[in-house]
Every structure is written in structure tokens, then in C-alpha cells.
């Protein structure tokens, strides 16, 4: 891993620590410190990607997109509490993202379909990672309010309704992007059908169910959050399958 | 035994709402309950405070069993929870209750009005007498000082405002939302004001009596609706506040399950301010339905107490100061009869002995007889000087009782001696 990647990782890890401390001790300055650290980490991260981009850095790009997505959401809705959930996920994803070996590329790697596939799957997964973080926040807050013990978590949360609405927007975008990724994936490698594709399809089906249920029957709240958690878990399975298929070894250069 | 203050009761601190709601005394039954209390042996004066959060009997009684008998009058359901306080502790509790230091939400203003209302009823029915009256006057004065001299009431959040804050945690901004008030009592009015302050767009008022609903709706700028349309109203409302006097749940779990489905799972926040509860507790288990009753709101309100710790200390100090003043005056008042009886007894004995001596000594001049009488009075005065001082200084204390026992002074001494 390059120096910039190391700096990005340090920035993300420090932000995760700061957001976690803020959950316990709500000092007003901490969310700002967390945001600055995340932004600094993101700059270093993007710098590393721009300096030596190659196709196998998809997972790393996904992490950067997730961080950028979170910072955008935080700027729009003031969601520091989500930072406490998203930042550790980002840190956990960074290490495997930079250990992917330069295994074989699918045929037509430079084709437009592949570009669309990479971009849409990266952005879609990032959106769903954020929706997953918000779903966890929602479930924690809902548990406290239903249990009649609103504690530190719910004191720092926006309303459950707001979390639900933001999560729904992310799911809707994530679903559209994932649909595009799956469609273009068939073009990139028409005959591939392995665990990666299986997990991705299962996640897509679950999200399709959620989108359908939300639009038709108005599903929201707890059951929607649980479906998002399930959907993201399947998507994570798809990523793990991707890592496994490429072998885990230092990628270098990034 | 001299009459003493007794308090028997339970509050949100001792008993859960499930118990309190079954012990609450409806207003129209209060006079009969006060009569029943007065009929208990040894009970001279009594008043009964029954609110959503407490049921308390403040009494003046004599006899060791009065407290136990008053506690028994609350019924077996109350027994495991009821607290009996005697003497100064009972008065202290009355002062603290009136000053809202024992309330669910410390510093809230409603309890003082409720105590005054209970006192007025007890007085009008003849259940309360001079002792309770004096204690209540002082308790009210202490409560007013607490409100004016500390900021405890300023930072105090009413249960309604706690509830509205929780509703915001679920629903977010309440502007543009629809709220439904079920019941048109005082609590509903307070809640309505809070909701209006939070920007609620539409306030629907449902009540068993359409006239009351219309009146409240007129006051708060809401719309009176029929309670018969409750299922449809619950579908419309984002927040519902219940405060009816019904002893059966008005809002059931089944109604909420149906309403939420019809609302396409949009969340609903139910605030149950009634005792007995108006909302079936299991309604909280329905997805996207949040039910908070008075006990739940207390838990949240308790978080505010720490913030006002300094003001609480000042309020407690004021109550203690007023309590000391009251108890000292009370002791002086109760000590005076012992002193008076002691002096009366001594003078009566001296006068009797002087008359007997004068009869034995034979004819004396007026001046001589006057000297003998003056000597006897001087002996009585000198002998009683120190005891009088001590009894005045420790008015109402154990010395008064000891003196009464030592000299066999009974309350009817004066009358007996006057008759004799």
C-alpha cells in the first residue's frame, strides 16, 4: 500500500474513533473533527487512486465513494451519528480493498459496458453501504424509543422518520445502480455464474422486494431497515466472492 | 395522646401506573371517601389528594393505629406500595408535594392547584379542620416561594412537553402534521398548546361530550370531531393524545394495527396521559406505533432533574425553612396549653392552700391576708419560672409531654377545675 493509502486509512480510522467517542461524550467539536478527518482521508484516498488507477481498484473506489456519499449526506442532513457506523465499515473495507491481487480481467475489460458496470456497481454498493449504516442507526434508535428508554443514541439521532426517508432514497438509488450493474455485468461476462453473481442477484431480488413493498404497500420503518441489512449482507457476500475469486494478495501500486 | 399529622399514600415512586390507575378516586366519589376517612377511629381531620401520579391521605389523627387504619382504607392493592409518614415527616411530605419537589416532573405547576383543590374540598365537606388548614396555608406559601425564588419552574418541562419532544424523535418536525386529542380535560388542553407550539397543522378534538369537544376546539383553534369516528381519526392522526376518564381502554391494539396499515405504515405517536390508561399497552407492539404513558414520560423527564440539581437544592432549602417555621409555631401552639394547665393547676393549689391557711390563722387584717396571698403567688411564680422558660423554648417537644405526664395534666383540667 502506498503512503497516500496509509494516510487515508489513518484518517478514516481516526474519524471512526472520534465519532465513537462522540457517541459516548457529546462534545460539540467532535463531529466537526470527525468530518475533517474523513475528508482528509478521502483526499489522500482519491490522490492515491488518481496517481495510479487501474481496473482492479474497484473495491477501493467503492470505499472512497461511500465516504464521499456519507460526507454529502452529513452536509445535507447533519448525520454525525451515522458517521459512527459508516466510518468503521469504511476502515474494515479498506484493508481487503488494497490486498486484491492483479488476477485475470474479464474479456473486454476496456469496453463501455465494463465502465458502466464498474461505476454503477461501485456507486450502487456505496449507496447501499450508507443505507446499511442508516438502517443500523434506525434499528438502534427504534429499539430505544420502543423500549421507552431513549438513551444517548436517540438523543443524537435525527428523527426516525428522517432516517427512514434518507435510507429510502439511498435504497432507491442503490437499486437503480445495482440493476444497471447487473445488466451490464451480463454484457461484460455473459456466461459467468458463480457465487459473486449469485449473491449480487439475491441482494438485488431482496432490494426489488423492498422497493416494490415500499411503493405498493408503504413498507417502512423496522421491516424496511431489516431488509436493507439483509440486502447489504448479501451484497457483502458478493464482494467477498469477488475477493475470493481474485485471490487476496498485496495489490501494490495503489 | 396528642393528635399528630399522618400521611398515607403512594406515588409514581412507589407504584407503577397499573396500580395507580386502579386506586385513583374519581372526583364525584371524593366526598364519600372523605367521610369514610373521618369515620376511622382517631382521625380528626383528613384530606385526600388523588391525581394521575399519586394518591395521598393527609390527616390529623391520634392513636398509634391511625396510620395503619388509614393505609388499610386504600385497599389491599395499595398495601405493598403505600408509605405511612408520621409527625414532622408527614408535614414535610405535604410541603414537598405542594412545592412539586415530589412530582414526576419536578417544578411542574399543576400539583399545587391539585393540592389546593383537594384542600378546598376537604374544608367544604368539614373533613379538614384548623390543623390541616394551617399546614396547607404554609405549604402553599412555601410552594409559592419555591416558584418565585428559584428557577425550578422555569426549566421545568411539563409531561406534555416531554411527550411532544419524544414525538419529534419519532416523527421529526411536527409542522404540517395532524394531531388528535381524545378527551377534553385540562391535560388535553395543555397538550394541545404544546402541539400548537410545535407547529401542528390540524388539531382534532374528540370527546364523549360533543359540547366539551366543541368548547376545547374553539379555545385552541381545533376542529371538534365525533368519538364514534375514532378508527378513521386514528388513520389521519400522526400524534394522538388521550386523557379521558374512561376506565376501559379507548384505543386498542387492534385499532392501531388497522390504522397503521391504512396509513401505509407511517408512524404514529400516542401520548396516554390518562389514569386509568386509555391506550392498551400492547398497542406499542404494533409496528411503527409508539405509545408513551405517564410512567414512560416520567422516565424521560427524570433526565431533566440532574440538569436542575442546583435549583433543586435551593428549593429544598426553602421548603425546609418554611417547614421549620411552621413546626416551631405549631409546637408553641401545642405547648401553650401544657404551660397554661400547669400554671392553672399550681395557682389553683396555691389558692386552695392560702384559703385553708387563712381560715386556720383566724381573723387577719386585709393587708396581712393580701401579703399571704402575694407570698403564695410569688412561690408559684418562682417555682414555675424555670419550667415555664424551658417549656416555651422547647415548645411542642418531649418536655411538654413529660410535664403533662409528671403533673398529671389533662386537656379537660381547665374545664374540670372550672366546673369544680
Amino acid at each position: 500500500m502506498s503512503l497516500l493509502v496509509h494516510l487515508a486509512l489513518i484518517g478514516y480510522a481516526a474519524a471512526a474513533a472520534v465519532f465513537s467517542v462522540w457517541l459516548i461524550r457529546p462534545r460539540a467539536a467532535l463531529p466537526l473533527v470527525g468530518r475533517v478527518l474523513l475528508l482528509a482521508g478521502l483526499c489522500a484516498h482519491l490522490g492515491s487512486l488518481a496517481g495510479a488507477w487501474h481496473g482492479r481498484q474497484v473495491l477501493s473506489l467503492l470505499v472512497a465513494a461511500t465516504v464521499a456519499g456519507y460526507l454529502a449526506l452529513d452536509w445535507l442532513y447533519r448525520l454525525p451519528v451515522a458517521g459512527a457506523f459508516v466510518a468503521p465499515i469504511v476502515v474494515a473495507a479498506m484493508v481487503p480493498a488494497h490486498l486484491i491481487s492483479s488476477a485475470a480481467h474479464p474479456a473486454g475489460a476496456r469496453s463501455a459496458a465494463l465502465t458502466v458496470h464498474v461505476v454503477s456497481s461501485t456507486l450502487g454498493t456505496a449507496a447501499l453501504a450508507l443505507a446499511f449504516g442508516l438502517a443500523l442507526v434506525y434499528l438502534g434508535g427504534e429499539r430505544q424509543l420502543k423500549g421507552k428508554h431513549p438513551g444517548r443514541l436517540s438523543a443524537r439521532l435525527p428523527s426516525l422518520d428522517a432516517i427512514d426517508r434518507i435510507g429510502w432514497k439511498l435504497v432507491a438509488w442503490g437499486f437503480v445502480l445495482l440493476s444497471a450493474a447487473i445488466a451490464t455485468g451480463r454484457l461484460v461476462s455473459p456466461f459467468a455464474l458463480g457465487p459473486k453473481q449469485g449473491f449480487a442477484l439475491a441482494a438485488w431480488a431482496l432490494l426489488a422486494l423492498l422497493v416494490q413493498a415500499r411503493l405498493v404497500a408503504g413498507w417502512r420503518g423496522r421491516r424496511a431497515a431489516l431488509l436493507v441489512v439483509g440486502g447489504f449482507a448479501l451484497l457483502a457476500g458478493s464482494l467477498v466472492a469477488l475477493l475470493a475469486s481474485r485471490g487476496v494478495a498485496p495489490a501494490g501500486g495503489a | 395522646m396528642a393528635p399528630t399529622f399522618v400521611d398515607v399514600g403512594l406515588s409514581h415512586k412507589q407504584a407503577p401506573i397499573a396500580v395507580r390507575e386502579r386506586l385513583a378516586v374519581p372526583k364525584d366519589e371524593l366526598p364519600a371517601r372523605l367521610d369514610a376517612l373521618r369515620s376511622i377511629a382517631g382521625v380528626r381531620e383528613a384530606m385526600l389528594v388523588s391525581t394521575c401520579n399519586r394518591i395521598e391521605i393527609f390527616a390529623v389523627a391520634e392513636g398509634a393505629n391511625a396510620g395503619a387504619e388509614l393505609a388499610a382504607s386504600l385497599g389491599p392493592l395499595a398495601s405493598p406500595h403505600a408509605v405511612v409518614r408520621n409527625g414532622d415527616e408527614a408535614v414535610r411530605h405535604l410541603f414537598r408535594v405542594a412545592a412539586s419537589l415530589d412530582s414526576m416532573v419536578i417544578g411542574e405547576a399543576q400539583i399545587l392547584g391539585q393540592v389546593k383543590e383537594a384542600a378546598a374540598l376537604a374544608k367544604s365537606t368539614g373533613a379538614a379542620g384548623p390543623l390541616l388548614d394551617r399546614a396547607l396555608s404554609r405549604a402553599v406559601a412555601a410552594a409559592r416561594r419555591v416558584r418565585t425564588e428559584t428557577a425550578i419552574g422555569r426549566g421545568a418541562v411539563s409531561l406534555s412537553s416531554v411527550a411532544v419532544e419524544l414525538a419529534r424523535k419519532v416523527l421529526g418536525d411536527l409542522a404540517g402534521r395532524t394531531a388528535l386529542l381524545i378527551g377534553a380535560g385540562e391535560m388535553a388542553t395543555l397538550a394541545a398548546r404544546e402541539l400548537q407550539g410545535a407547529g401542528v397543522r390540524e388539531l382534532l378534538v374528540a370527546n364523549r361530550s360533543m359540547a366539551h369537544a366543541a368548547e376545547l376546539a374553539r379555545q385552541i383553534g381545533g376542529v371538534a370531531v365525533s368519538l364514534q369516528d375514532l378508527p378513521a381519526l386514528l388513520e389521519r392522526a400522526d400524534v394522538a393524545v388521550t386523557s379521558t376518564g374512561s376506565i376501559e381502554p379507548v384505543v386498542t391494539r387492534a385499532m392501531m394495527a388497522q390504522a397503521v396499515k391504512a396509513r401505509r405504515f407511517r408512524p404514529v405517536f400516542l401520548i396516554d396521559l390518562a389514569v386509568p390508561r386509555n391506550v392498551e399497552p400492547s398497542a406499542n407492539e404494533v409496528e411503527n406505533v409508539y405509545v408513551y404513558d405517564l410512567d414512560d414520560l416520567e422516565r424521560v423527564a427524570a433526565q431533566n432533574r440532574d440538569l436542575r440539581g442546583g435549583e433543586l437544592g435551593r428549593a429544598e432549602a426553602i421548603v425546609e425553612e418554611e417547614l421549620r417555621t411552621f413546626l416551631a409555631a405549631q409546637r408553641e401552639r401545642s405547648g401553650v396549653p401544657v404551660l397554661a394547665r400547669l400554671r392553672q393547676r399550681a395557682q389553683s393549689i396555691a389558692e386552695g392552700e392560702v384559703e385553708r391557711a387563712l381560715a386556720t390563722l383566724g381573723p387577719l387584717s386585709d393587708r396581712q391576708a393580701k401579703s399571704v396571698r402575694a407570698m403564695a403567688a410569688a412561690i408559684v411564680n418562682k417555682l414555675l419560672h424555670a419550667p415555664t422558660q424551658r417549656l416555651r423554648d422547647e415548645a411542642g417537644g418531649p418536655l411538654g409531654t413529660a410535664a403533662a405526664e409528671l403533673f398529671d395534666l389533662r386537656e379537660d383540667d381547665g374545664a374540670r377545675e372550672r366546673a369544680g
Side-chain angles (χ1 to χ4, degrees):
Chain A
M1 283 190 277
S2 73
L3 175 66
L4 282 175
V5 173
H6 278 113
L7 286 176
L9 192 56
I10 290 169
Y12 295 157
V18 166
F19 280 123
S20 302
V21 169
W22 177 74
L23 272 188
I24 301 160
R25 291 186 179 279
R27 301 286 152 79
L30 290 179
L32 181 63
V33 174
R35 284 175 198 129
V36 170
L37 286 167
L38 268 187
L39 189 61
L42 180 64
C43 289
H45 196 169
L46 291 176
S48 76
L49 291 173
W53 168 254
H54 49 83
R56 59 185 183 275
Q57 289 171 314
V58 174
L59 195 54
S60 184
L61 184 64
L62 164 64
V63 172
T66 305
V67 174
Y70 166 71
L71 286 172
L73 278 181
D74 186 52
W75 185 64
L76 285 172
Y77 301 106
R78 290 286 151 212
L79 286 169
V81 73
F85 290 82
V86 172
I89 296 172
V90 162
V91 173
M94 269 297 272
V95 177
H98 288 273
L99 290 176
I100 298 169
S101 72
S102 53
H105 292 260
R110 296 184 187 282
S111 71
L114 178 63
T115 306
V116 174
H117 177 70
V118 168
V119 170
S120 58
S121 61
T122 301
L123 293 179
T125 310
L128 290 170
L130 289 171
F132 170 73
L134 283 180
L136 292 182
V137 170
Y138 181 95
L139 290 171
E142 193 244 19
R143 187 184 165 87
Q144 289 194 344
L145 283 166
K146 271 274 188 190
K148 321 288 183 73
H149 290 287
R152 284 192 176 123
L153 178 63
S154 61
R156 289 158 188 65
L157 284 181
S159 70
L160 290 182
D161 196 48
I163 298 171
D164 182 71
R165 277 186 287 110
I166 300 166
W168 162 240
K169 283 180 189 167
L170 289 168
V171 166
W173 278 108
F175 176 71
V176 170
L177 291 164
L178 209 60
S179 301
I182 286 172
T184 48
R186 300 309 298 164
L187 295 175
V188 172
S189 24
F191 305 109
L193 189 60
K196 179 199 155 193
Q197 287 78 9
F199 275 120
L201 279 171
W204 181 86
L206 203 61
L207 291 169
L209 170 71
L210 173 57
V211 170
Q212 170 79 358
R214 175 92 176 202
L215 292 175
V216 175
W219 278 25
R220 68 186 74 218
R222 183 179 173 76
R223 65 175 72 182
L226 287 172
L227 281 176
V228 170
V229 170
F232 186 74
L234 288 170
L235 213 56
S238 172
L239 288 170
V240 169
L242 174 71
L243 294 181
S245 70
R246 292 187 176 186
V248 178
Chain B
M1 184 184 255
T4 179
F5 286 97
V6 182
D7 160 57
V8 175
L10 55 86
S11 70
H12 56 280
K13 291 181 176 173
Q14 288 87 32
I17 193 167
V19 171
R20 297 197 317 270
E21 66 190 0
R22 291 172 66 188
L23 293 172
V25 183
K27 268 185 184 170
D28 53 347
E29 288 177 23
L30 279 170
R33 286 293 287 270
L34 285 170
D35 282 348
L37 292 175
R38 284 291 307 281
S39 68
I40 294 173
V43 175
R44 287 186 170 192
E45 302 177 26
M47 66 175 272
L48 180 60
V49 181
S50 177
T51 72
C52 341
N53 295 323
R54 66 179 67 247
I55 178 163
E56 306 263 8
I57 300 166
F58 293 104
V60 175
E62 53 193 354
N65 291 331
E69 290 195 33
L70 284 168
S73 76
L74 291 175
L77 185 63
S79 303
H81 310 283
V83 177
V84 179
R85 300 175 182 88
N86 288 297
D88 295 0
E89 273 310 302
V91 187
R92 177 176 284 111
H93 188 63
L94 171 63
F95 276 48
R96 293 189 78 252
V97 167
S100 184
L101 299 183
D102 196 60
S103 294
M104 255 191 184
V105 178
I106 289 179
E108 54 96 3
Q110 216 178 350
I111 185 66
L112 181 58
Q114 289 165 331
V115 168
K116 281 158 77 177
E117 200 179 326
L121 181 70
K123 205 170 173 181
S124 69
T125 57
L131 284 176
L132 265 184
D133 202 30
R134 274 198 291 270
L136 276 160
S137 299
R138 202 77 206 186
V140 169
R144 285 192 179 135
R145 272 194 66 196
V146 165
R147 294 206 74 72
T148 53
E149 293 177 27
T150 75
I152 201 158
R154 241 166 284 156
V157 274
S158 67
L159 287 186
S160 306
S161 66
V162 169
V164 168
E165 200 45 49
L166 283 165
R168 279 205 187 98
K169 281 273 156 219
V170 174
L171 301 168
D173 191 357
L174 297 183
R177 302 275 186 176
T178 297
L180 169 65
L181 305 180
I182 305 170
E186 191 184 353
M187 295 288 267
T189 313
L190 289 172
R193 305 254 182 251
E194 288 287 344
L195 289 166
Q196 266 179 333
V200 162
R201 177 178 55 89
E202 188 179 31
L203 268 171
L204 307 171
V205 185
N207 194 53
R208 202 172 45 183
S209 152
M210 264 309 268
H212 283 153
E215 174 56 25
L216 179 58
R218 191 187 58 76
Q219 283 174 26
I220 61 173
V223 180
V225 288
S226 169
L227 199 53
Q228 287 179 334
D229 299 330
L230 191 56
L233 294 169
L234 288 170
E235 287 176 22
R236 271 172 77 182
D238 302 298
V239 182
V241 182
T242 62
S243 64
T244 80
S246 168
I247 52 169
E248 295 295 328
V250 178
V251 178
T252 63
R253 179 190 172 131
M255 285 165 85
M256 287 319 300
Q258 197 182 350
V260 163
K261 203 169 174 187
R263 288 170 58 79
R264 292 169 53 88
F265 298 95
R266 278 182 295 120
V268 189
F269 195 83
L270 294 172
I271 305 163
D272 189 354
L273 299 175
V275 176
R277 283 171 289 186
N278 287 162
V279 182
E280 232 171 44
S282 61
N284 189 55
E285 292 161 19
V286 177
E287 212 174 325
N288 294 334
V289 174
Y290 298 82
V291 182
Y292 275 70
D293 62 30
L294 283 171
D295 273 10
D296 303 327
L297 295 175
E298 147 69 1
R299 275 189 216 107
V300 181
Q303 293 172 357
N304 298 321
R305 284 177 200 152
D306 294 342
L307 302 175
R308 297 198 300 274
E311 292 304 301
L312 187 60
R314 288 181 58 203
E316 293 279 8
I318 290 173
V319 164
E320 281 302 314
E321 186 188 321
E322 291 288 335
L323 180 68
R324 274 197 303 275
T325 308
F326 170 75
L327 291 175
Q330 189 60 25
R331 280 172 185 146
E332 197 168 345
R333 214 171 272 121
S334 64
V336 166
V338 175
L339 255 180
R341 290 201 297 272
L342 181 60
R343 295 196 76 85
Q344 200 170 28
R345 168 74 64 82
Q347 278 164 4
S348 166
I349 292 169
E351 280 166 14
E353 291 305 315
V354 163
E355 292 310 320
R356 203 171 321 162
L358 288 177
T360 316
L361 287 170
L364 294 177
S365 68
D366 284 351
R367 197 175 161 195
Q368 288 168 325
K370 203 175 170 183
S371 292
V372 171
R373 286 196 177 93
M375 184 186 67
I379 291 169
V380 166
N381 282 339
K382 284 190 175 169
L383 267 176
L384 292 185
H385 176 72
T388 300
Q389 204 60 45
R390 294 287 304 278
L391 281 170
R392 279 208 172 119
D393 289 348
E394 297 184 33
L399 272 184
T401 314
E405 286 291 318
L406 194 61
F407 294 100
D408 192 24
L409 302 171
R410 281 183 288 258
E411 280 189 64
D412 57 351
D413 275 359
R416 197 176 53 199
E417 276 161 22
R418 276 193 298 277

